[in-house]
Amino acid sequence: MNKNVDYISSLDEQGFAVLNHIYADAEVDAIYNCIEKACAKLNVGNYSKSVFAIRQAMKKIPELESLVSTTKLQNLLSSLFTEPYFLTKAIYFDKPSESNWFVAYHQDLSISVDRKVAVSNYTNWTFKKGQYGVQPPLDILENIVTVRIHLDKTTKENGALKVIPTSHLKGIYRPETIDWNTETEHVCEVEKGGIMLMKPLTLHASERTTNGKQRRVLHLEFGSKQLTKPLEWLEFYKI
C-alpha cells in the first residue's frame, strides 16, 4: 500500500478518511460468523434488540486476530505509524434494524487502563462495565488511530458517523461550543468491507437508523505510545 496516498493526508489534516474494498465479502462474512459463533459462548450481558456491544472483543474472541489482521490492514497500519504499533481497544458494535438511538457530537477522550492510580495529567476517572477509564495527556490521544471495520454497507440512513473536519486539531473541543457558522459536517458513508480511519479527537456523532438496516462495526484503536508507569493499557495487544 502506497504510503503517499490521500488517506494519510486526509487523516492528518481532516481527522478522518474512508477506504473501501479493504476486506472482501468472504473475509467480512468470516469475521461476522466468528463473532456470531462466539456470542453463543460469551456472557456479554448487554444484548437487546436495540443495543449490542462486545468490549475487549479481541481478548474475548482471539480467533478474530487471524481474520482481521490481513496483509492489507498490516500495510495500512505500518504506513500510519513510524514506531511499532499495538491495539489498545477493540469493541464490536451492532446497531440492529430495530434500533433507533442517536449519539450526540463528542470526542473519544477516555482510554481503558488496567488499574486506578494517581498519575499526573491523567484525569476524569470512570469505572464502567468492569473496567477503568481515564483521560490521558493530549499527546497520547493525538497518537491513537481508530480503525472502524464495516461489516455492512453504512449510509446516513443507518447510522453512518458524522464528523466535523479538522476538529481534531483544536485539542479538547467541547460540543456545546461548536460554532456552526464556521464548522461544517461530513457524513462518512462506507461500503461493506471498507474501513473508516479517525483520530479520537475528531468530533463525531451518528443519527437514528431510518432504513431498518443493520450497521455492524468492529471498532479498533491503535497506538504506539506507552502510558506513564505504573499504568498499562488494559487491552495491549500486538496485532
Side-chain angles (χ1 to χ4, degrees):
M1 190 171 293
N2 191 327
K3 293 188 178 184
N4 296 315
V5 293
D6 290 343
Y7 68 86
I8 297 178
S9 58
S10 178
L11 182 63
D12 290 341
E13 297 169 12
Q14 300 296 312
F16 68 96
V18 172
L19 293 82
N20 288 312
H21 312 300
I22 299 299
Y23 293 87
D25 284 353
E27 292 174 317
V28 172
D29 293 343
I31 292 171
Y32 176 67
N33 290 336
C34 178
I35 293 171
E36 188 177 49
K37 183 178 179 181
C39 284
K41 301 178 182 179
L42 293 174
N43 182 25
V44 293
N46 59 348
Y47 172 77
S48 72
K49 289 185 177 181
S50 61
V51 180
F52 184 32
I54 300 176
R55 298 181 182 276
Q56 300 186 45
M58 204 66 74
K59 282 189 173 182
K60 293 178 179 177
I61 314 175
E63 297 85 0
L64 274 177
E65 180 185 358
S66 61
L67 301 175
V68 170
S69 186
T70 62
T71 299
K72 279 189 176 181
L73 181 67
Q74 291 175 359
N75 289 342
L76 172 67
L77 291 169
S78 295
S79 72
L80 297 174
F81 291 98
T82 58
E83 300 175 326
Y85 59 84
F86 45 83
L87 183 72
T88 66
K89 185 177 292 186
I91 309 175
Y92 169 66
F93 288 116
D94 183 358
K95 198 170 189 178
S97 57
E98 297 87 349
S99 168
N100 199 29
W101 87 91
F102 75 97
V103 179
Y105 269 106
H106 65 285
Q107 295 174 303
D108 291 337
L109 299 178
S110 182
I111 62 171
S112 299
V113 294
D114 65 335
R115 70 193 76 184
K116 182 177 181 180
V117 62
V119 179
S120 179
N121 297 320
Y122 287 76
T123 61
N124 299 324
W125 285 89
T126 61
F127 186 73
K128 297 178 181 178
K129 302 185 184 302
Q131 59 187 50
Y132 288 106
V134 67
Q135 183 176 323
L138 200 60
D139 67 307
I140 297 291
L141 293 173
E142 291 173 337
N143 174 255
I144 295 171
V145 175
T146 298
V147 178
R148 292 170 57 88
I149 302 172
H150 285 250
L151 307 183
D152 298 291
K153 179 180 175 65
T154 305
T155 67
K156 62 182 180 181
E157 286 80 21
N158 68 328
L161 285 193
K162 303 183 298 180
V163 299
I164 298 180
T166 75
S167 54
H168 68 301
L169 301 175
K170 301 177 182 180
I172 307 302
Y173 192 165
R174 300 301 178 190
E176 61 271 17
T177 68
I178 297 173
D179 182 358
W180 289 111
N181 292 314
T182 60
E183 301 288 14
T184 59
E185 183 177 84
H186 179 82
V187 179
C188 298
E189 296 188 321
V190 187
E191 296 292 332
K192 175 183 176 180
I195 67 173
M196 177 184 174
L197 302 175
M198 187 177 70
K199 302 297 289 185
L201 291 174
T202 302
L203 279 164
H204 56 285
S206 64
E207 294 290 349
R208 292 178 172 88
T209 295
T210 60
N211 65 359
K213 295 183 179 180
Q214 281 183 288
R215 186 205 68 184
R216 296 170 295 186
V217 173
L218 188 58
H219 173 110
L220 307 176
E221 296 181 13
F222 293 89
S224 61
K225 287 185 178 292
Q226 297 293 346
L227 306 179
T228 303
K229 299 298 182 183
L231 287 178
E232 299 283 357
W233 294 98
L234 177 64
E235 300 177 59
F236 179 90
Y237 198 99
K238 292 185 178 180
I239 188 172

